[in-house]
């Protein structure tokens, strides 16, 4: 029989071992819990939708396009029943995906994990899977979903319609990709700081307040179009021809740098629609006093390996201005000078972004959310992730023309579109809410709402 001292030493050692030993890794459920989901292609980011019996991939559109399916067990397999039509399930007919009666053997699926948070849907007892049809040369992937072999095109997300969210971490713990920022589309086109377009276009500015006032009002993301003239990189819409008193890029960047010096806890992001040579842009940035003191370089800080840093760490390091360009890296390589060598990041490498327009300034609107970079010549889904790295998500929410009444109405619906349409489309929360006329419809309230939680 052990002595009291021996028993105490044994118990102490056992407790130390229990504390020191790492907890076993959490085992993900092989299939998500029963509930309503989007069946979302990991290749394209588009959703399986019922189109009069055909199951096609459509642009994510919330609950307005027969894209929601109720997952439930069915013996050893699973069913995905349309939330719009009772007893109509996602199934198959020959080599095509179709809606079929939920009692049909062709409605059953074996659902198996495949990669991080991805699944395959296989016809029981076969090697045939729900898949995106192969992309013809020079074209988009076909809308009609197919029944075919395994592989990348057969990988799917089951994205919850109503995800369980978590409270936003405290200010000293939240990371850059957990925060949402109010962003001004065509921030320079404001009719206050200077000319930005030919006179007839100036009647419909995208914003009504200058850059300094935008900063004061809480705008933290700025979309700027730059064009090349003999004077350098100039802020104009489409071109600088016939523009009176245009503003140079360095002038607005200087305003932002000065603001950051005066507000040491703030972070600002600039998105350049970029039509200038890299050497011209480099010269323009060199004119901004103090730019190098605050410029953030995610390419030098391990973001791709470790994820985005905490806002508090960016503030402590004074890394508080991030500049993106939509210019092509390959074009710059041909020119012999890449923009990231002087601190301008290529947007397609660090962000995802939905299509830029909801339609004309008046009339019908398109609230669907799909990648701006999805088409015949590109495929970057909003759902893109790379291990620990999750691209920042730019959510565009504006029309072709910034008519004040339309912008007011659209901006009042910003949080609703973000949460019901765009958040599930990207499987992440928008980081930049880009709007016209941010002073109308209170889009800041949508930013505040999104900053109360984090998406799982």
């Amino acid at each position: 029989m052990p002595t009291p001292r021996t028993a105490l030493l044994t118990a102490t050692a056992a407790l130390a071992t229990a504390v020191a030993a790492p907890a076993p890794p959490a085992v993900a459920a092989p299939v998500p819990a029963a509930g309503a989901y989007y069946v979302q292609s990991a290749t394209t980011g588009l959703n399986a939708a019922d189109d009069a019996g055909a199951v096609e991939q459509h642009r994510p559109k919330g609950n307005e396009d027969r894209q929601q399916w109720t997952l439930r067990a069915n013996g050893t397999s699973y069913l995905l029943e349309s939330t719009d039509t009772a007893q109509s399930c996602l199934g198959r007919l020959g080599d095509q995906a179709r809606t079929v009666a939920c009692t049909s053997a062709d409605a059953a699926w074996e659902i198996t994990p495949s990669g991080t948070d991805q699944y395959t849907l296989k016809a029981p007892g076969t090697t045939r899977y729900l898949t995106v049809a192969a992309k013809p040369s020079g074209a988009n992937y076909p809308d009609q979903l197919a029944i075919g072999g395994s592989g990348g095109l057969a990988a799917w997300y089951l994205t919850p319609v109503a995800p369980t969210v978590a409270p936003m971490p405290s200010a000293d713990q939240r990371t850059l990709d957990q925060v949402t920022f109010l962003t001004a589309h065509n921030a320079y086109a404001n009719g206050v700081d200077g000319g930005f377009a030919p006179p007839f276009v100036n009647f419909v500015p995208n914003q009504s307040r200058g850059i300094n006032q935008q900063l004061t009002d809480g705008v933290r993301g700025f979309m700027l179009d730059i064009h090349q003239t003999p004077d350098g990189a100039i802020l104009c819409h489409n071109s600088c021809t016939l523009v009176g008193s245009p503003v140079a890029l360095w002038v607005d960047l200087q305003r932002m740098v000065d603001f950051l010096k005066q507000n040491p806890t703030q972070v600002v992001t600039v998105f350049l629609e970029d039509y200038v040579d890299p050497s011209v842009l480099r010269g323009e940035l060199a004119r901004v006093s103090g730019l190098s003191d605050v410029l953030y370089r995610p390419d030098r800080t391990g973001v791709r390996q470790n994820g985005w840093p905490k806002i508090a760490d960016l503030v402590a390091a004074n890394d508080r201005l991030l500049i993106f360009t939509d210019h092509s890296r390959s074009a710059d390589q041909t020119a012999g000078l890449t923009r990231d060598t002087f601190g301008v990041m290529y947007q397609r490498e660090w962000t995802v972004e939905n299509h830029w327009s909801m339609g004309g300034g008046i009339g019908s609107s398109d609230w669907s959310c799909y990648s701006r970079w999805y088409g015949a010549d590109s495929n970057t889904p909003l759902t893109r992730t790379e291990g620990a790295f999750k691209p920042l998500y730019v959510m565009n929410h504006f029309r072709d023309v910034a008519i004040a009444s339309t912008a007011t109405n659209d901006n009042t619906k910003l949080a609703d579109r973000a949460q019901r349409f765009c958040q599930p489309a990207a499987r992440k929360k928008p980081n930049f809410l880009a709007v016209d006329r941010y002073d109308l419809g209170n889009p800041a309230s949508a930013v505040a709402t999104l900053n109360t939680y984090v998406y799982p």
Side-chain angles (χ1 to χ4, degrees), residues 156-216:
W156 299 90
Y157 294 110
L158 295 176
T159 300
V161 170
T164 301
V165 298
M168 174 68 81
S170 60
D172 61 335
Q173 293 299 313
R174 62 191 60 166
T175 56
L176 182 64
D177 58 323
Q178 292 175 326
V179 179
T180 301
F181 300 94
L182 180 60
T183 299
H185 170 238
N186 287 351
Y188 64 94
N190 54 58
V192 175
D193 294 327
F196 62 91
F200 65 91
V201 179
N202 283 338
F203 287 118
V204 192
N206 296 97
Q207 308 299 336
S208 64
R209 300 174 181 177
I211 295 295
N212 283 334
Q213 187 62 49
Q214 292 179 34
L215 287 160
T216 299

Side-chain angles (χ1 to χ4, degrees), residues 374-391:
Y374 173 75
D377 59 349
S378 62
N379 180 36
T380 305
L382 292 179
T383 54
R384 168 183 154 221
T385 58
E386 299 169 15
F389 172 65
K390 294 181 179 180

Side-chain angles (χ1 to χ4, degrees), residues 253-273:
L253 289 181
Q254 188 68 65
R255 290 173 171 138
M256 297 173 197
V257 170
D258 292 345
F259 172 84
L260 291 172
K261 288 180 180 178
Q262 297 162 12
N263 298 270
T265 64
Q266 299 302 302
V267 175
V268 165
T269 304
V270 173
F271 300 92
L272 299 177
E273 187 172 319

Side-chain angles (χ1 to χ4, degrees), residues 205-427:
N206 296 97
Q207 308 299 336
S208 64
R209 300 174 181 177
I211 295 295
N212 283 334
Q213 187 62 49
Q214 292 179 34
L215 287 160
T216 299
D217 291 344
V219 175
R220 294 294 179 266
F222 298 85
M223 293 182 168
L224 308 175
D225 292 10
I226 54 174
H227 293 265
Q228 189 166 318
T229 75
D231 297 321
I234 306 300
L235 296 164
C236 306
H237 190 64
N238 293 333
S239 79
C240 296
T241 303
L242 302 179
V243 177
S245 303
V247 177
L249 172 63
W250 78 267
V251 172
D252 274 353
L253 289 181
Q254 188 68 65
R255 290 173 171 138
M256 297 173 197
V257 170
D258 292 345
F259 172 84
L260 291 172
K261 288 180 180 178
Q262 297 162 12
N263 298 270
T265 64
Q266 299 302 302
V267 175
V268 165
T269 304
V270 173
F271 300 92
L272 299 177
E273 187 172 319
D274 189 343
Y275 301 100
V276 307
D277 294 334
S279 60
V280 171
L281 180 57
R282 181 176 59 182
E284 194 76 9
L285 299 186
R287 301 180 66 180
V288 182
S289 176
L291 177 68
S292 61
D293 296 334
V294 294
L295 188 62
Y296 174 42
R297 297 288 303 268
D299 56 332
R300 294 182 173 179
T301 55
V303 169
R304 289 198 175 279
Q305 294 75 35
N306 306 314
W308 294 98
K310 297 173 185 176
I311 295 284
D313 292 340
L314 293 176
V315 169
N318 205 29
D319 292 336
R320 297 185 293 120
L321 176 64
L322 184 55
I323 304 177
F324 292 111
T325 176
D326 71 349
H327 209 82
S328 161
R329 173 184 285 277
S330 60
D332 284 349
Q333 289 171 331
T334 301
L337 176 64
T338 60
R339 290 162 211 252
D340 55 355
T341 59
F342 50 88
V344 176
M345 301 293 103
Y346 291 96
Q347 188 175 347
R348 293 198 188 196
E349 298 176 4
W350 298 95
T351 74
V352 292
E353 179 179 343
N354 66 289
H355 181 65
W356 63 272
S357 173
M358 294 192 296
I362 56 176
S364 61
S365 58
D366 180 2
W367 282 43
S368 64
C369 264
Y370 63 102
S371 176
R372 183 175 185 175
W373 304 316
Y374 173 75
D377 59 349
S378 62
N379 180 36
T380 305
L382 292 179
T383 54
R384 168 183 154 221
T385 58
E386 299 169 15
F389 172 65
K390 294 181 179 180
L392 299 176
Y393 176 21
V394 181
M395 178 184 154
N396 294 314
H397 185 81
F398 46 83
R399 308 291 187 109
D400 297 1
V401 181
I403 296 174
S405 59
T406 304
T408 300
N409 184 58
D410 287 346
N411 289 348
T412 62
K413 300 175 181 179
L414 179 55
D416 181 62
R417 182 176 182 232
Q419 293 176 316
R420 287 201 301 122
F421 290 73
C422 296
Q423 183 173 270
R427 296 175 54 83

